[in-house]
Amino acid sequence: MTPNRATFPVRLALSLLGCAATLPALATEAGVDNIGPGTDGFFMLPLEVDSLPENMVAFNLYYNHYKAQKLNISSLGGKVPNVEIESTAVIPRIDYLSPVRIFGGRLAGYIAQPWLKQEVSVFGLSDTREGMGDTTIAPIILWDMGKDLTLGAAVEITVPTGEYSVDRLANTSNNFYTYKPLFSFTWLPTERTEVSMKTTYSFNEKNKDTDYKSGQIFHFDYSASYKITDDLMLGINGYYLKQTTDDKQFGHTVQFAGEDVNDGVRGKVFAIGPALHFTFLKYASAEIRWAKEFDVENRPEGEMLWAKVSIPYAF
């Protein structure tokens, strides 16, 4: 599950200020991506998949709040001052588990449609926009490896269905398609512990309005938790992201002052924080997770809060 978190086109802010000649390059276009790092934590996959009913639907509702007051631009040699980015998202997602079997696993799928509010202040300019964000859809195969382990493989596709304007600081769309092969697992090492991980690799299409193609990105979300009571689990969660190829514009590596940017405008971030998971109505669950970002390059640096409610239904 990867609802996107669009941030802002800083290049535009600089050009509006008449500073285009000293324009710094950012990780991916404007430092944004279609990943939504930290989206998933506890029990990313259901356990004992083969014993579940033939047809199941899960209704999920995510809430995300992100705030950053730092912007690290390694190609500029430091942090940009006077930056404030605030993003709020509400993301309904529907999961479906089918009786169809493929490659030894059960075929499933999901679709997520975020509603976003973006607030941006940088270089003395500010902007706010809210509305529907980019849609993510995915087929996924789930393999039951016993009562303590489930594996999953998917291809997520993010479609630019939100609003985008090249002359806006804040947008609810990144204005490009992203294709993400995905591998995930949920594992219970003991009766009271749980470990989950989701790994993706992003292939980004070009933003046709700016002729900018963001680089490829390796990313994973993780969680590890311990059962305090039958219904309550406490743990840690977070994410890691590293861009593996250069950003390109007009067919070549992004340039600064007529020269290729030395680091290829590649971004990186690691985040970690506490998390809580609660089970209610026997099968429904709620969770809240917070993470602080560290070791950031070419991206905003801030704090992420995720909350989620999940209610399954069999038919």
Side-chain angles (χ1 to χ4, degrees):
M1 162 59 199
T2 55
N4 69 302
R5 172 174 59 83
T7 50
F8 56 98
V10 173
R11 280 176 287 277
L12 170 63
L14 287 167
S15 62
L16 289 174
L17 288 171
C19 302
T22 59
L23 181 62
L26 301 178
T28 65
E29 186 173 15
V32 305
D33 55 63
N34 280 327
I35 295 173
T39 302
D40 291 304
F42 302 95
F43 296 98
M44 294 183 190
L45 301 177
L47 292 169
E48 300 185 83
V49 174
D50 289 347
S51 67
L52 295 176
E54 285 194 350
N55 292 280
M56 285 195 69
V57 173
F59 300 93
N60 306 284
L61 185 64
Y62 294 79
Y63 170 82
N64 171 250
H65 184 77
Y66 178 81
K67 187 171 184 179
Q69 293 180 308
K70 296 180 180 180
L71 178 61
N72 181 300
I73 307 177
S74 60
S75 59
L76 192 62
K79 292 181 171 63
V80 176
N82 302 320
V83 172
E84 187 166 346
I85 306 151
E86 194 161 355
S87 174
T88 303
V90 176
I91 311 112
R93 188 185 92 176
I94 298 178
D95 300 356
Y96 170 64
L97 177 63
S98 81
V100 177
R101 293 193 172 271
I102 183 170
F103 302 122
R106 288 185 66 174
L107 181 64
Y110 51 88
I111 181 169
Q113 178 59 68
W115 174 90
L116 304 170
K117 181 178 181 180
Q118 310 289 351
E119 299 174 88
V120 178
S121 178
V122 61
F123 299 109
L125 300 176
S126 62
D127 192 14
T128 299
R129 173 173 284 194
E130 60 182 285
M132 303 307 292
D134 293 342
T135 306
T136 294
I137 58 175
I140 184 170
I141 303 173
L142 302 175
W143 289 276
D144 188 334
M145 308 301 292
K147 66 177 184 178
D148 298 327
L149 177 64
T150 299
L151 305 179
V155 177
E156 289 190 341
I157 302 170
T158 299
V159 182
T161 54
E163 295 186 46
Y164 176 85
S165 300
V166 71
D167 58 350
R168 291 289 299 262
L169 284 173
N171 283 294
T172 62
S173 174
N174 290 332
N175 203 41
F176 56 82
Y177 286 83
T178 299
Y179 307 93
K180 299 184 289 293
L182 177 155
F183 174 78
S184 55
F185 71 83
T186 290
W187 175 44
L188 304 183
T190 71
E191 290 184 357
R192 306 192 71 84
T193 56
E194 170 265 347
V195 176
S196 289
M197 181 176 289
K198 178 186 75 178
T199 302
T200 69
Y201 193 86
S202 296
F203 297 90
N204 298 305
E205 292 289 338
K206 183 187 298 183
N207 181 341
K208 294 181 180 180
D209 288 354
T210 59
D211 204 44
Y212 196 106
K213 185 172 183 179
S214 300
Q216 299 170 18
I217 300 173
F218 169 78
H219 146 264
F220 65 80
D221 293 341
Y222 67 90
S223 75
S225 59
Y226 181 79
K227 183 179 290 188
I228 304 298
T229 70
D230 288 343
D231 298 322
L232 180 65
M233 302 190 75
L234 298 178
I236 61 170
N237 85 119
Y239 48 90
Y240 174 78
L241 181 152
K242 184 175 178 60
Q243 189 173 333
T244 59
T245 65
D246 294 349
D247 283 5
K248 294 184 181 295
Q249 190 171 30
F250 308 121
H252 52 71
T253 299
V254 171
Q255 294 188 333
F256 171 68
E259 300 290 335
D260 289 353
V261 176
N262 290 334
D263 63 5
V265 205
R266 301 189 186 195
K268 183 175 68 170
V269 62
F270 171 77
I272 188 171
L276 180 150
H277 179 275
F278 181 73
T279 302
F280 63 99
L281 299 178
K282 193 173 182 179
Y283 297 113
S285 65
E287 62 186 66
I288 185 166
R289 296 176 285 107
W290 177 86
K292 174 74 173 67
E293 294 182 330
F294 300 93
D295 193 24
V296 180
E297 295 179 4
N298 292 315
R299 296 176 62 86
E301 178 180 343
E303 300 175 357
M304 182 84 74
L305 174 70
W306 281 101
K308 176 186 176 184
V309 176
S310 181
I311 301 175
Y313 174 75
F315 61 96

